[in-house]
Amino acid sequence: MTTQITSLEEYHREYAKSIEDPESFWKKEAETFHWFQPFDEVLKWNFEEPNVKWFLNGKTNITYNALDRHIAERGDKTAILWEPNDPEDTVINLSYKELLEEVCKCANALKKFGIKKGDRVVFYMPMVPELTIGVLACARIGAVHSVVFAGFSAQALSDRVNDAQAKMIICSDFNRRGSKNIPVKKVVDDALEIGCSSIENVLVHKNTGDSISWNSLKDKWWHEELDGQESYCTAEEMDSEDLLFILYTSGSTGKPKGVVHTVGGYMVYTSYSFRNVFQYQENDVYWCTADIGWITGHSYIIYGPLLSGATTVMFEGVPTYPTPARFWQICEKHKVNQFYTAPTAIRALMAYGDHLPAESDLSSIKVLGSVGEPINEEAWHWYDKHIGKGKAPIVDTWWQTETGGILISPLPGITDTKPTYASYPLPGIQTVLVDVEGNELKENNVEGLLCIKHPWPSMIRTTYGDHERCKNVYFSAFKGMYFTGDGARKDDEGRIRVIGRVDDVINVSGHRMGTAEVENAINEHPAVVESAIVGYPHDIKGQGIYAFVITQGVAKDDTTRKEILEVVKREIGPIAKPDKIQFVNGLPKTRSGKIMRRILRKIASNEADSLGDISTLLNPECVKEVIDGNRTLI
Ligand code: WTA
């Protein structure tokens, strides 16, 4: 197992070692895993191309380390503890032994379909054990998984399938969310109809059994294909730098990009960070409420916990069904020791009142985690008082799809915590704040742009099919550094607080949304001439989506608003629907024709009094109209 730091002194010592000699530091951690062939070089890198390789020429398989390796010692221990949407339905406990068998059966079925090492398989599924089984089955045979959050639209799904040139989609018939059954297979059918020419087969897991349409040439049932398969499948020998998965995420321009993670580095870092940030002990029950459609689910429901031999809870449902006390009831039911969720969920549940968590026995909780967006002070204190009862440290974990694992976080019971501060970089992580020119701000009490100046094992390797984009987005802003896109401040003792994105990405309920992506969707409405999206403060979601829209030939009313929302839902999915739509006649622009989002952001945030100088705009006259419109909208 990777090292687990247990004291403050050790944290300082390990951190210092990791900076002085990163290669020896990570070599030691990597050697705790099983390698079919040992690596002969720890790290080769430059941030110019960029080209980063860890554990060179090492051959391993992440599922061997997440499953087979544990069988002797904890084969009967629960690996996945699945809690169904309906609390009356049966809980599923899959032991390490059982999980390995299921993964192998699925891997053998995938092979039968001709899925080979390097082929891409897209998942579009609810939070059922089969999702984890399928993902691990891909990793078992060296196929590259790409999980698409099952709330995205058919259009968004087909875009991702086509970008990845996937051979197969694995989905469910229906998805259970609260009192609703959502037709998942239908979305896949629609995506295929839009056009996914690389798809040869669709493997369908029967989840609810509701009726679906069936294409007998392509569609196959999961249970029929797995039935009778051998319960063992040899783990494919993967090079450390072979692709493990692609996960699509939004950026400030264009369509979502496929962030690529590779086997060896991701394996080492997700396990190391999991064991340290959550201080997992052998008999603990760990629960991360994220969806596997996002990076948090990949790294901290599946890989980090399983590589560490943990019991990881997987929850099918939603926080408010059948009651907004559901999370707390599950914590009591399964005696959860580490609970990891997003600020947006905390704020939403906080609004239902303090009595709900008080009705559940939360005494098992030792560590509370927060992820995905800045946690505001009020939510932090509520979480601390009503869920942790003042005795469970909160780990405010900062990281990104691109970082693969948590880079900045307190270590519970070891380093201190401070509301709204992600605090300290983990060992091996060389965070720096820079000014706009890229000068390092070394002193404390400063605000700047968050960069990382040395590679870490689980960092992004490329954006799938477009390496230039990876270089331009992350490695071109500041020479020799990875730029996160986030602004941050350091307090007088060097703790880091991540303030939020400084690019055109907004963070809605912990989900990343590219403003350009939403604008492109809105512009698909035939009457829309132009649109601009900005984020504005939202009590529950953190940021809401505010759309300024110029239309032609239609009424500027709620009917048009509804149509626009439908278009966004169709193009991306319900999560991208604007919270507010304001019709305008003009958008403030620079002389070179660029939309001045800074001004729109202020107007949307009710800060129109501090717009500053607008006289250099191409069309300053439109600003008053936009401000007036905003006032009447609210
Ligand atoms: C934001 C989610 C403040 C940040 C794991 C980052 C945070 C983006 C925190 C990545 C945090 C994530 N405090 N901001 N603890 N965690 N963020 O790729 O802006 O979905 O760049 O990864 O979320 O979002 P992503």
Side-chain angles (χ1 to χ4, degrees), residues 308-339:
S308 309
T311 296
T312 177
V313 175
M314 208 178 151
F315 175 43
E316 182 186 29
V318 295
T320 48
Y321 178 81
T323 135
R326 191 73 207 283
F327 271 8
W328 322 129
Q329 291 170 353
I330 297 175
C331 285
E332 172 174 335
K333 179 172 174 185
H334 298 302
K335 300 196 170 45
V336 169
N337 300 109
Q338 290 91 359
F339 177 73

PDB file of all heavy atoms in Angstrom, residues 308-339:
ATOM      1  N   SER A 308      -6.854   0.878  -2.663  1.00  0.00           N
ATOM      2  CA  SER A 308      -6.471   0.892  -1.250  1.00  0.00           C
ATOM      3  C   SER A 308      -7.202  -0.183  -0.450  1.00  0.00           C
ATOM      4  O   SER A 308      -7.161  -0.179   0.778  1.00  0.00           O
ATOM      5  CB  SER A 308      -6.778   2.271  -0.659  1.00  0.00           C
ATOM      6  OG  SER A 308      -6.230   3.280  -1.471  1.00  0.00           O
ATOM      7  N   GLY A 309      -7.921  -1.060  -1.124  1.00  0.00           N
ATOM      8  CA  GLY A 309      -8.621  -2.142  -0.431  1.00  0.00           C
ATOM      9  C   GLY A 309      -9.764  -1.660   0.438  1.00  0.00           C
ATOM     10  O   GLY A 309     -10.122  -2.304   1.425  1.00  0.00           O
ATOM     11  N   ALA A 310     -10.370  -0.549   0.071  1.00  0.00           N
ATOM     12  CA  ALA A 310     -11.417   0.048   0.906  1.00  0.00           C
ATOM     13  C   ALA A 310     -12.799  -0.504   0.572  1.00  0.00           C
ATOM     14  O   ALA A 310     -13.001  -1.132  -0.467  1.00  0.00           O
ATOM     15  CB  ALA A 310     -11.414   1.557   0.703  1.00  0.00           C
ATOM     16  N   THR A 311     -13.746  -0.244   1.468  1.00  0.00           N
ATOM     17  CA  THR A 311     -15.159  -0.461   1.179  1.00  0.00           C
ATOM     18  C   THR A 311     -15.708   0.869   0.694  1.00  0.00           C
ATOM     19  O   THR A 311     -15.713   1.851   1.431  1.00  0.00           O
ATOM     20  CB  THR A 311     -15.912  -0.911   2.444  1.00  0.00           C
ATOM     21  OG1 THR A 311     -15.385  -2.168   2.853  1.00  0.00           O
ATOM     22  CG2 THR A 311     -17.408  -1.029   2.185  1.00  0.00           C
ATOM     23  N   THR A 312     -16.142   0.884  -0.554  1.00  0.00           N
ATOM     24  CA  THR A 312     -16.611   2.141  -1.145  1.00  0.00           C
ATOM     25  C   THR A 312     -18.114   2.052  -1.402  1.00  0.00           C
ATOM     26  O   THR A 312     -18.588   1.089  -2.010  1.00  0.00           O
ATOM     27  CB  THR A 312     -15.785   2.502  -2.411  1.00  0.00           C
ATOM     28  OG1 THR A 312     -16.309   3.692  -3.004  1.00  0.00           O
ATOM     29  CG2 THR A 312     -15.789   1.412  -3.465  1.00  0.00           C
ATOM     30  N   VAL A 313     -18.845   3.031  -0.892  1.00  0.00           N
ATOM     31  CA  VAL A 313     -20.299   3.055  -1.056  1.00  0.00           C
ATOM     32  C   VAL A 313     -20.628   3.674  -2.410  1.00  0.00           C
ATOM     33  O   VAL A 313     -19.998   4.649  -2.819  1.00  0.00           O
ATOM     34  CB  VAL A 313     -20.984   3.890   0.060  1.00  0.00           C
ATOM     35  CG1 VAL A 313     -22.493   4.002  -0.182  1.00  0.00           C
ATOM     36  CG2 VAL A 313     -20.699   3.289   1.424  1.00  0.00           C
ATOM     37  N   MET A 314     -21.590   3.070  -3.064  1.00  0.00           N
ATOM     38  CA  MET A 314     -22.061   3.623  -4.329  1.00  0.00           C
ATOM     39  C   MET A 314     -23.561   3.829  -4.159  1.00  0.00           C
ATOM     40  O   MET A 314     -24.275   2.878  -3.835  1.00  0.00           O
ATOM     41  CB  MET A 314     -21.798   2.562  -5.397  1.00  0.00           C
ATOM     42  CG  MET A 314     -21.588   3.079  -6.756  1.00  0.00           C
ATOM     43  SD  MET A 314     -21.226   1.684  -7.860  1.00  0.00           S
ATOM     44  CE  MET A 314     -21.890   2.417  -9.335  1.00  0.00           C
ATOM     45  N   PHE A 315     -24.027   5.053  -4.349  1.00  0.00           N
ATOM     46  CA  PHE A 315     -25.442   5.364  -4.126  1.00  0.00           C
ATOM     47  C   PHE A 315     -26.122   5.667  -5.450  1.00  0.00           C
ATOM     48  O   PHE A 315     -25.685   6.529  -6.206  1.00  0.00           O
ATOM     49  CB  PHE A 315     -25.545   6.546  -3.163  1.00  0.00           C
ATOM     50  CG  PHE A 315     -26.950   7.048  -2.948  1.00  0.00           C
ATOM     51  CD1 PHE A 315     -28.016   6.166  -2.771  1.00  0.00           C
ATOM     52  CD2 PHE A 315     -27.213   8.418  -2.907  1.00  0.00           C
ATOM     53  CE1 PHE A 315     -29.315   6.634  -2.570  1.00  0.00           C
ATOM     54  CE2 PHE A 315     -28.511   8.887  -2.699  1.00  0.00           C
ATOM     55  CZ  PHE A 315     -29.552   7.994  -2.538  1.00  0.00           C
ATOM     56  N   GLU A 316     -27.227   4.948  -5.682  1.00  0.00           N
ATOM     57  CA  GLU A 316     -27.926   5.089  -6.953  1.00  0.00           C
ATOM     58  C   GLU A 316     -28.759   6.371  -7.049  1.00  0.00           C
ATOM     59  O   GLU A 316     -28.967   6.913  -8.123  1.00  0.00           O
ATOM     60  CB  GLU A 316     -28.862   3.881  -7.148  1.00  0.00           C
ATOM     61  CG  GLU A 316     -29.609   3.891  -8.463  1.00  0.00           C
ATOM     62  CD  GLU A 316     -30.637   2.770  -8.580  1.00  0.00           C
ATOM     63  OE1 GLU A 316     -31.175   2.341  -7.558  1.00  0.00           O
ATOM     64  OE2 GLU A 316     -30.886   2.336  -9.715  1.00  0.00           O
ATOM     65  N   GLY A 317     -29.246   6.840  -5.896  1.00  0.00           N
ATOM     66  CA  GLY A 317     -30.314   7.831  -5.920  1.00  0.00           C
ATOM     67  C   GLY A 317     -29.894   9.285  -5.811  1.00  0.00           C
ATOM     68  O   GLY A 317     -28.783   9.663  -6.174  1.00  0.00           O
ATOM     69  N   VAL A 318     -30.806  10.074  -5.315  1.00  0.00           N
ATOM     70  CA  VAL A 318     -30.605  11.514  -5.174  1.00  0.00           C
ATOM     71  C   VAL A 318     -30.736  11.907  -3.691  1.00  0.00           C
ATOM     72  O   VAL A 318     -31.368  11.185  -2.923  1.00  0.00           O
ATOM     73  CB  VAL A 318     -31.636  12.303  -6.018  1.00  0.00           C
ATOM     74  CG1 VAL A 318     -31.431  12.036  -7.497  1.00  0.00           C
ATOM     75  CG2 VAL A 318     -33.078  11.963  -5.622  1.00  0.00           C
ATOM     76  N   PRO A 319     -30.154  13.047  -3.304  1.00  0.00           N
ATOM     77  CA  PRO A 319     -30.115  13.411  -1.874  1.00  0.00           C
ATOM     78  C   PRO A 319     -31.485  13.663  -1.250  1.00  0.00           C
ATOM     79  O   PRO A 319     -31.609  13.632  -0.026  1.00  0.00           O
ATOM     80  CB  PRO A 319     -29.294  14.710  -1.840  1.00  0.00           C
ATOM     81  CG  PRO A 319     -28.792  14.951  -3.194  1.00  0.00           C
ATOM     82  CD  PRO A 319     -29.369  13.962  -4.139  1.00  0.00           C
ATOM     83  N   THR A 320     -32.493  13.909  -2.068  1.00  0.00           N
ATOM     84  CA  THR A 320     -33.774  14.335  -1.507  1.00  0.00           C
ATOM     85  C   THR A 320     -34.884  13.293  -1.618  1.00  0.00           C
ATOM     86  O   THR A 320     -36.051  13.592  -1.365  1.00  0.00           O
ATOM     87  CB  THR A 320     -34.247  15.614  -2.218  1.00  0.00           C
ATOM     88  OG1 THR A 320     -34.122  15.397  -3.626  1.00  0.00           O
ATOM     89  CG2 THR A 320     -33.406  16.810  -1.814  1.00  0.00           C
ATOM     90  N   TYR A 321     -34.536  12.077  -2.014  1.00  0.00           N
ATOM     91  CA  TYR A 321     -35.580  11.055  -2.176  1.00  0.00           C
ATOM     92  C   TYR A 321     -35.318   9.862  -1.262  1.00  0.00           C
ATOM     93  O   TYR A 321     -34.203   9.347  -1.252  1.00  0.00           O
ATOM     94  CB  TYR A 321     -35.632  10.570  -3.625  1.00  0.00           C
ATOM     95  CG  TYR A 321     -36.655   9.485  -3.854  1.00  0.00           C
ATOM     96  CD1 TYR A 321     -38.000   9.807  -4.020  1.00  0.00           C
ATOM     97  CD2 TYR A 321     -36.275   8.147  -3.858  1.00  0.00           C
ATOM     98  CE1 TYR A 321     -38.946   8.795  -4.200  1.00  0.00           C
ATOM     99  CE2 TYR A 321     -37.218   7.144  -4.034  1.00  0.00           C
ATOM    100  CZ  TYR A 321     -38.552   7.465  -4.207  1.00  0.00           C
ATOM    101  OH  TYR A 321     -39.481   6.486  -4.380  1.00  0.00           O
ATOM    102  N   PRO A 322     -36.311   9.336  -0.560  1.00  0.00           N
ATOM    103  CA  PRO A 322     -37.675   9.878  -0.465  1.00  0.00           C
ATOM    104  C   PRO A 322     -37.777  11.057   0.493  1.00  0.00           C
ATOM    105  O   PRO A 322     -38.853  11.638   0.623  1.00  0.00           O
ATOM    106  CB  PRO A 322     -38.476   8.684   0.069  1.00  0.00           C
ATOM    107  CG  PRO A 322     -37.490   7.819   0.768  1.00  0.00           C
ATOM    108  CD  PRO A 322     -36.160   8.063   0.156  1.00  0.00           C
ATOM    109  N   THR A 323     -36.685  11.428   1.111  1.00  0.00           N
ATOM    110  CA  THR A 323     -36.716  12.570   2.035  1.00  0.00           C
ATOM    111  C   THR A 323     -35.370  13.295   1.962  1.00  0.00           C
ATOM    112  O   THR A 323     -34.341  12.678   1.641  1.00  0.00           O
ATOM    113  CB  THR A 323     -36.936  12.090   3.498  1.00  0.00           C
ATOM    114  OG1 THR A 323     -36.023  12.780   4.367  1.00  0.00           O
ATOM    115  CG2 THR A 323     -36.667  10.608   3.681  1.00  0.00           C
ATOM    116  N   PRO A 324     -35.356  14.581   2.270  1.00  0.00           N
ATOM    117  CA  PRO A 324     -34.069  15.288   2.261  1.00  0.00           C
ATOM    118  C   PRO A 324     -33.140  14.870   3.402  1.00  0.00           C
ATOM    119  O   PRO A 324     -32.059  15.428   3.553  1.00  0.00           O
ATOM    120  CB  PRO A 324     -34.466  16.763   2.361  1.00  0.00           C
ATOM    121  CG  PRO A 324     -35.873  16.800   2.774  1.00  0.00           C
ATOM    122  CD  PRO A 324     -36.509  15.485   2.457  1.00  0.00           C
ATOM    123  N   ALA A 325     -33.572  13.873   4.183  1.00  0.00           N
ATOM    124  CA  ALA A 325     -32.686  13.326   5.218  1.00  0.00           C
ATOM    125  C   ALA A 325     -31.924  12.106   4.693  1.00  0.00           C
ATOM    126  O   ALA A 325     -31.188  11.457   5.429  1.00  0.00           O
ATOM    127  CB  ALA A 325     -33.498  12.936   6.444  1.00  0.00           C
ATOM    128  N   ARG A 326     -32.116  11.785   3.409  1.00  0.00           N
ATOM    129  CA  ARG A 326     -31.593  10.535   2.860  1.00  0.00           C
ATOM    130  C   ARG A 326     -30.085  10.341   3.077  1.00  0.00           C
ATOM    131  O   ARG A 326     -29.636   9.271   3.478  1.00  0.00           O
ATOM    132  CB  ARG A 326     -31.902  10.466   1.361  1.00  0.00           C
ATOM    133  CG  ARG A 326     -31.641   9.106   0.738  1.00  0.00           C
ATOM    134  CD  ARG A 326     -32.687   8.116   1.157  1.00  0.00           C
ATOM    135  NE  ARG A 326     -32.237   6.737   1.160  1.00  0.00           N
ATOM    136  CZ  ARG A 326     -32.070   5.943   0.107  1.00  0.00           C
ATOM    137  NH1 ARG A 326     -32.314   6.399  -1.099  1.00  0.00           N
ATOM    138  NH2 ARG A 326     -31.665   4.707   0.241  1.00  0.00           N
ATOM    139  N   PHE A 327     -29.294  11.371   2.805  1.00  0.00           N
ATOM    140  CA  PHE A 327     -27.834  11.232   2.980  1.00  0.00           C
ATOM    141  C   PHE A 327     -27.504  10.818   4.413  1.00  0.00           C
ATOM    142  O   PHE A 327     -26.685   9.949   4.666  1.00  0.00           O
ATOM    143  CB  PHE A 327     -27.125  12.554   2.669  1.00  0.00           C
ATOM    144  CG  PHE A 327     -26.725  12.746   1.224  1.00  0.00           C
ATOM    145  CD1 PHE A 327     -27.149  11.852   0.236  1.00  0.00           C
ATOM    146  CD2 PHE A 327     -25.921  13.822   0.850  1.00  0.00           C
ATOM    147  CE1 PHE A 327     -26.778  12.039  -1.097  1.00  0.00           C
ATOM    148  CE2 PHE A 327     -25.542  14.008  -0.482  1.00  0.00           C
ATOM    149  CZ  PHE A 327     -25.972  13.128  -1.446  1.00  0.00           C
ATOM    150  N   TRP A 328     -28.193  11.476   5.351  1.00  0.00           N
ATOM    151  CA  TRP A 328     -27.855  11.243   6.771  1.00  0.00           C
ATOM    152  C   TRP A 328     -28.341   9.856   7.196  1.00  0.00           C
ATOM    153  O   TRP A 328     -27.683   9.184   7.978  1.00  0.00           O
ATOM    154  CB  TRP A 328     -28.419  12.356   7.652  1.00  0.00           C
ATOM    155  CG  TRP A 328     -28.323  13.709   6.978  1.00  0.00           C
ATOM    156  CD1 TRP A 328     -29.319  14.618   6.811  1.00  0.00           C
ATOM    157  CD2 TRP A 328     -27.154  14.281   6.343  1.00  0.00           C
ATOM    158  NE1 TRP A 328     -28.858  15.705   6.104  1.00  0.00           N
ATOM    159  CE2 TRP A 328     -27.542  15.528   5.809  1.00  0.00           C
ATOM    160  CE3 TRP A 328     -25.831  13.857   6.148  1.00  0.00           C
ATOM    161  CZ2 TRP A 328     -26.650  16.356   5.109  1.00  0.00           C
ATOM    162  CZ3 TRP A 328     -24.938  14.682   5.452  1.00  0.00           C
ATOM    163  CH2 TRP A 328     -25.360  15.911   4.950  1.00  0.00           C
ATOM    164  N   GLN A 329     -29.462   9.445   6.618  1.00  0.00           N
ATOM    165  CA  GLN A 329     -29.960   8.100   6.922  1.00  0.00           C
ATOM    166  C   GLN A 329     -29.002   7.028   6.391  1.00  0.00           C
ATOM    167  O   GLN A 329     -28.774   6.010   7.040  1.00  0.00           O
ATOM    168  CB  GLN A 329     -31.359   7.914   6.323  1.00  0.00           C
ATOM    169  CG  GLN A 329     -32.402   8.775   7.025  1.00  0.00           C
ATOM    170  CD  GLN A 329     -33.743   8.797   6.305  1.00  0.00           C
ATOM    171  OE1 GLN A 329     -33.877   8.265   5.205  1.00  0.00           O
ATOM    172  NE2 GLN A 329     -34.740   9.427   6.922  1.00  0.00           N
ATOM    173  N   ILE A 330     -28.449   7.294   5.219  1.00  0.00           N
ATOM    174  CA  ILE A 330     -27.496   6.325   4.660  1.00  0.00           C
ATOM    175  C   ILE A 330     -26.225   6.289   5.516  1.00  0.00           C
ATOM    176  O   ILE A 330     -25.665   5.219   5.767  1.00  0.00           O
ATOM    177  CB  ILE A 330     -27.151   6.662   3.190  1.00  0.00           C
ATOM    178  CG1 ILE A 330     -28.411   6.558   2.316  1.00  0.00           C
ATOM    179  CG2 ILE A 330     -26.052   5.743   2.658  1.00  0.00           C
ATOM    180  CD1 ILE A 330     -28.208   6.990   0.867  1.00  0.00           C
ATOM    181  N   CYS A 331     -25.788   7.445   5.982  1.00  0.00           N
ATOM    182  CA  CYS A 331     -24.592   7.484   6.851  1.00  0.00           C
ATOM    183  C   CYS A 331     -24.832   6.624   8.089  1.00  0.00           C
ATOM    184  O   CYS A 331     -23.957   5.866   8.513  1.00  0.00           O
ATOM    185  CB  CYS A 331     -24.263   8.921   7.279  1.00  0.00           C
ATOM    186  SG  CYS A 331     -23.515   9.890   5.959  1.00  0.00           S
ATOM    187  N   GLU A 332     -26.044   6.713   8.640  1.00  0.00           N
ATOM    188  CA  GLU A 332     -26.344   5.906   9.833  1.00  0.00           C
ATOM    189  C   GLU A 332     -26.447   4.426   9.464  1.00  0.00           C
ATOM    190  O   GLU A 332     -25.857   3.564  10.118  1.00  0.00           O
ATOM    191  CB  GLU A 332     -27.662   6.380  10.470  1.00  0.00           C
ATOM    192  CG  GLU A 332     -28.092   5.440  11.597  1.00  0.00           C
ATOM    193  CD  GLU A 332     -29.314   5.903  12.385  1.00  0.00           C
ATOM    194  OE1 GLU A 332     -29.600   7.116  12.429  1.00  0.00           O
ATOM    195  OE2 GLU A 332     -29.980   5.029  12.969  1.00  0.00           O
ATOM    196  N   LYS A 333     -27.189   4.146   8.387  1.00  0.00           N
ATOM    197  CA  LYS A 333     -27.440   2.766   7.983  1.00  0.00           C
ATOM    198  C   LYS A 333     -26.139   1.990   7.753  1.00  0.00           C
ATOM    199  O   LYS A 333     -25.998   0.850   8.165  1.00  0.00           O
ATOM    200  CB  LYS A 333     -28.286   2.791   6.705  1.00  0.00           C
ATOM    201  CG  LYS A 333     -28.641   1.448   6.111  1.00  0.00           C
ATOM    202  CD  LYS A 333     -29.639   1.684   4.961  1.00  0.00           C
ATOM    203  CE  LYS A 333     -29.964   0.439   4.189  1.00  0.00           C
ATOM    204  NZ  LYS A 333     -30.834   0.756   3.023  1.00  0.00           N
ATOM    205  N   HIS A 334     -25.184   2.617   7.072  1.00  0.00           N
ATOM    206  CA  HIS A 334     -23.949   1.901   6.738  1.00  0.00           C
ATOM    207  C   HIS A 334     -22.770   2.305   7.624  1.00  0.00           C
ATOM    208  O   HIS A 334     -21.632   1.948   7.335  1.00  0.00           O
ATOM    209  CB  HIS A 334     -23.612   2.108   5.262  1.00  0.00           C
ATOM    210  CG  HIS A 334     -24.664   1.568   4.338  1.00  0.00           C
ATOM    211  ND1 HIS A 334     -25.052   0.242   4.361  1.00  0.00           N
ATOM    212  CD2 HIS A 334     -25.430   2.174   3.392  1.00  0.00           C
ATOM    213  CE1 HIS A 334     -26.006   0.066   3.447  1.00  0.00           C
ATOM    214  NE2 HIS A 334     -26.253   1.217   2.854  1.00  0.00           N
ATOM    215  N   LYS A 335     -23.069   3.067   8.671  1.00  0.00           N
ATOM    216  CA  LYS A 335     -22.005   3.519   9.592  1.00  0.00           C
ATOM    217  C   LYS A 335     -20.811   4.087   8.820  1.00  0.00           C
ATOM    218  O   LYS A 335     -19.664   3.634   8.945  1.00  0.00           O
ATOM    219  CB  LYS A 335     -21.563   2.381  10.508  1.00  0.00           C
ATOM    220  CG  LYS A 335     -22.692   1.842  11.371  1.00  0.00           C
ATOM    221  CD  LYS A 335     -22.149   1.007  12.515  1.00  0.00           C
ATOM    222  CE  LYS A 335     -23.210   0.647  13.530  1.00  0.00           C
ATOM    223  NZ  LYS A 335     -24.488   0.179  12.951  1.00  0.00           N
ATOM    224  N   VAL A 336     -21.134   5.092   8.018  1.00  0.00           N
ATOM    225  CA  VAL A 336     -20.115   5.691   7.149  1.00  0.00           C
ATOM    226  C   VAL A 336     -19.062   6.420   7.991  1.00  0.00           C
ATOM    227  O   VAL A 336     -19.389   7.158   8.914  1.00  0.00           O
ATOM    228  CB  VAL A 336     -20.799   6.662   6.146  1.00  0.00           C
ATOM    229  CG1 VAL A 336     -19.776   7.508   5.400  1.00  0.00           C
ATOM    230  CG2 VAL A 336     -21.676   5.869   5.171  1.00  0.00           C
ATOM    231  N   ASN A 337     -17.798   6.200   7.648  1.00  0.00           N
ATOM    232  CA  ASN A 337     -16.706   6.829   8.391  1.00  0.00           C
ATOM    233  C   ASN A 337     -16.142   8.067   7.700  1.00  0.00           C
ATOM    234  O   ASN A 337     -15.701   9.005   8.349  1.00  0.00           O
ATOM    235  CB  ASN A 337     -15.565   5.833   8.613  1.00  0.00           C
ATOM    236  CG  ASN A 337     -16.021   4.623   9.403  1.00  0.00           C
ATOM    237  OD1 ASN A 337     -16.135   3.525   8.862  1.00  0.00           O
ATOM    238  ND2 ASN A 337     -16.312   4.819  10.671  1.00  0.00           N
ATOM    239  N   GLN A 338     -16.109   8.007   6.366  1.00  0.00           N
ATOM    240  CA  GLN A 338     -15.652   9.180   5.619  1.00  0.00           C
ATOM    241  C   GLN A 338     -16.752   9.537   4.638  1.00  0.00           C
ATOM    242  O   GLN A 338     -17.202   8.671   3.888  1.00  0.00           O
ATOM    243  CB  GLN A 338     -14.364   8.877   4.826  1.00  0.00           C
ATOM    244  CG  GLN A 338     -13.129   8.677   5.671  1.00  0.00           C
ATOM    245  CD  GLN A 338     -12.922   7.202   6.053  1.00  0.00           C
ATOM    246  OE1 GLN A 338     -13.712   6.334   5.696  1.00  0.00           O
ATOM    247  NE2 GLN A 338     -11.854   6.932   6.774  1.00  0.00           N
ATOM    248  N   PHE A 339     -17.166  10.782   4.680  1.00  0.00           N
ATOM    249  CA  PHE A 339     -18.268  11.233   3.821  1.00  0.00           C
ATOM    250  C   PHE A 339     -17.756  12.381   2.960  1.00  0.00           C
ATOM    251  O   PHE A 339     -17.244  13.370   3.462  1.00  0.00           O
ATOM    252  CB  PHE A 339     -19.433  11.680   4.707  1.00  0.00           C
ATOM    253  CG  PHE A 339     -20.602  12.225   3.937  1.00  0.00           C
ATOM    254  CD1 PHE A 339     -21.428  11.381   3.209  1.00  0.00           C
ATOM    255  CD2 PHE A 339     -20.894  13.586   3.957  1.00  0.00           C
ATOM    256  CE1 PHE A 339     -22.517  11.881   2.496  1.00  0.00           C
ATOM    257  CE2 PHE A 339     -21.980  14.100   3.248  1.00  0.00           C
ATOM    258  CZ  PHE A 339     -22.793  13.242   2.520  1.00  0.00           C
TER     259      PHE A 339
END
